[in-house]
Amino acid sequence: MSGFLDRAKEQAQRGLHQGKQKIDDVQAQRAGQDLVKRLGEAYYAERHGTGTPEGTQKALDAVENHARTHGEDFLRG
């Protein structure tokens, strides 16, 4: 009985870890998509005279930093 409970506990912990990892992945995906949206907004503003090249570069740097940290999957979603 003890072995069964240990295996069940281990399986439950593994499931919790996988669930947390999935949540973290989804949050990183959403954050990356938000950064890409901000980059688009900065570029649009720059092209229409209400933004600056520095603002666009700052937004691009944020996207690139996120991609280095979390990978580029958010660019495909």
Side-chain angles (χ1 to χ4, degrees), residues 16-62:
L16 286 172
H17 176 72
Q18 289 172 346
K20 183 181 179 335
Q21 183 63 44
K22 182 64 176 172
I23 289 171
D24 291 346
D25 291 347
V26 168
Q27 288 175 336
Q29 179 82 9
R30 287 182 181 168
Q33 290 170 347
D34 184 52
L35 291 172
V36 170
K37 179 182 174 191
R38 290 182 189 177
L39 173 58
E41 292 169 348
Y43 179 76
Y44 182 86
E46 179 185 347
R47 297 291 291 173
H48 287 85
T50 59
T52 64
E54 293 80 16
T56 303
Q57 186 61 51
K58 182 178 176 183
L60 178 60
D61 291 344

Side-chain angles (χ1 to χ4, degrees), residues 2-14:
S2 169
F4 172 76
L5 293 176
D6 290 341
R7 285 191 305 272
K9 180 181 175 183
E10 184 179 305
Q11 207 169 25
Q13 288 174 339
R14 192 171 30 247

